[in-house]
Amino acid sequence: MMRIALLGATGSIGASTLDVVARHADQFRITALSAHRNVEDLVTLCQRFRPQIAVIADPACEADLVRRLKSIDVDARVLSGPQGLIEAAQGGHADCVVAAIVGAAGLESTLAAAHAGKRLLLANKESVVMAGALLRAALDAGGGELLPIDSEHNAVFQCLPHGRNSLADAGVRRLLLTASGGPFRGRSREELVEVTPDMACAHPNWSMGRKISVDSATLMNKGLEVIEAHFLFDAAASDIEVVVHPQSIVHSMVEYCDGSVLAQLGNPDMRTAIAYALAWPERIDAGVAPLDLVRIAQLGFEAVDRRTFRCLDLAYQALAVGGIAPTLLNAANEEAVAAFLGGRLPFLAIEAVIEECLARLPSNPISQLSDLIDSDLTARREAQRIIGSLVA
Ligand code: NAD
Ligand code: MG
C-alpha cells in the first residue's frame, strides 16, 4: 500500500490525482491533503478520503477547518501555514508526495519531500524553475526519486532509457518539447491587445488552473518547462527545442544520435502522467479514454511564433544567464499573471513586466535557500513597482 500526501488537493492536478487513486483503493491510500483557503472543498475531500492530516495553508482558516471536521466526525490532525505543509511533506505518514500546489508557495514543501527521501510526484514546476539546483541536492541527500507529472516531462521520462548517467551516455541528441500554442495561437500582437482573463483561460485542449492557463496563453508555460527540463534531465538549453503541436496528442519526444525519435502519445488528460508516476515502474488503468488516431486524423507541427509570444525567449535568456535569473523570471511572471487575472494589467504587458524586472535586477549565484527566498521577494516588489508604473 503506497501512502500519499497530496499537496494542492483542491486544484486541477489534485482532482485528477484523487480520481486515479480512487480507482485503485487496494494500492494507494491518501494520508494527507492540503488546500490554500478552500475549507469547504477540503472538508468534502477529507470526508471521502479520511486522511490522517489535513493542512489549510492560510492559518486564518484553521479554526473553521477544525470545527467542520469535528462536526462530521472526521478525525484528522489539522495543520496550517508553511510549516504545516512542510510537515505534511516530510512526515512518516507518507511514502509519496504529490506536489500540486501552484507557484512559489509549493517550493518549501517540495524541497522538504525531496530531503525526506519520498517518491516525489512533481507538478509544481515553479519550484524546479526557482530552485533546480537545490532540489537536485535535496533529492541526492534524501535518496528518494522524482517522477515528473508535467505531461511533457513525463513523456520525456517515458522515452528515456533508465539507469544511464547522462543524456550523452544514452545517445540522446535533443529533447523536443511540444506546445499546443495556447488559445491565441495564430494571432498577431494587435489581436492580443484587448484579450481578457477568461479568453486566456479558455485553453483549447487542457482544463487547468487559471495561473497555468495564462502561462499557456503567453507561452511562458513552455519557457518554465524548458527550464524544468534542463534541471530534471540535466540537458543543456541548446539541446531542448520547442515545437508547436496544436492537437496536444504527442506530449513530447526524445531524439537519439542515430536519428530515431521516440514520442509518447495520448489524449490530453493529466491522469495518464499521474497514473504512470504513481505506479512506476508498473502501469495501471488511469480512466483515460483510448486514443482514437483515426478520429484525430491529423497531427500537425509548426514553429513557435517567437515574435508574438516573447515569454519563451525570456525563459531561455534567464536559463543562459543562470544563477538566480530563473527565480527572478518566475517571481515576476507570478506577479504579472496575478495582476492580469485581477484585471489590473493588459495581457501583452505580462512579458514587458518580466523583461524589465530581469533587466533591473542583478543575477547573483544561488548559494542557499534563504538567498533565493530573498531574491524572490525582491523580484516581486520590483515587478509590483513596474506594474504600478505601467498602469499609472
Ligand atoms: P490549481 O489552481 O487548479 O490548484 C492549485 C492548488 O494549490 C489548489 O489546491 C490550491 O488550494 C493550492 N494553492 C494555491 N495557492 C496556494 C498557496 N499560496 N499556498 C498553499 N496552497 C496553495 O492549479 P493546477 O492547474 O492544479 O496546477 C498545480 C501545479 O501543477 C502548477 O504548478 C501547474 O503549473 C502544474 N501543472 C498543472 C497542470 C494541469 O493540467 N493543471 C499540468 C502540468 C503542470
Ligand atoms: Mg506541461
Side-chain angles (χ1 to χ4, degrees), residues 11 20 32 91 99 122 137 142 144 146 152 158 189 207 226 243 248 302-303 315 340 346 355 368 376:
V20 176
L122 189 88
L146 184 150
E152 296 75 6
Q158 293 199 41
R189 290 184 74 82
S207 150
V226 167
V243 58
S248 299
E302 56 192 58
F340 169 67
E355 186 167 30
Q368 51 191 5
D376 173 75

Side-chain angles (χ1 to χ4, degrees), residues 123 125 149-153 178 206 208 212 216 221-222 225 228 251-252 270:
K125 66 189 83 185
I149 330 188
D150 208 351
S151 58
E152 296 75 6
H153 307 76
T178 51
W206 298 95
M208 310 180 286
I212 183 177
S216 298
N221 183 48
K222 215 46 58 177
E225 290 181 355
E228 183 183 7
H251 297 306
S252 278
M270 291 306 296

Side-chain angles (χ1 to χ4, degrees), residues 8-13 34-36 57 85 100-103 105 123-126 150 207-210 212 270:
T10 51
S12 163
I13 292 288
S34 90
H36 185 202
L85 291 171
I101 291 174
V102 60
N124 176 234
K125 66 189 83 185
E126 294 89 350
D150 208 351
S207 150
M208 310 180 286
R210 282 173 85 76
I212 183 177
M270 291 306 296

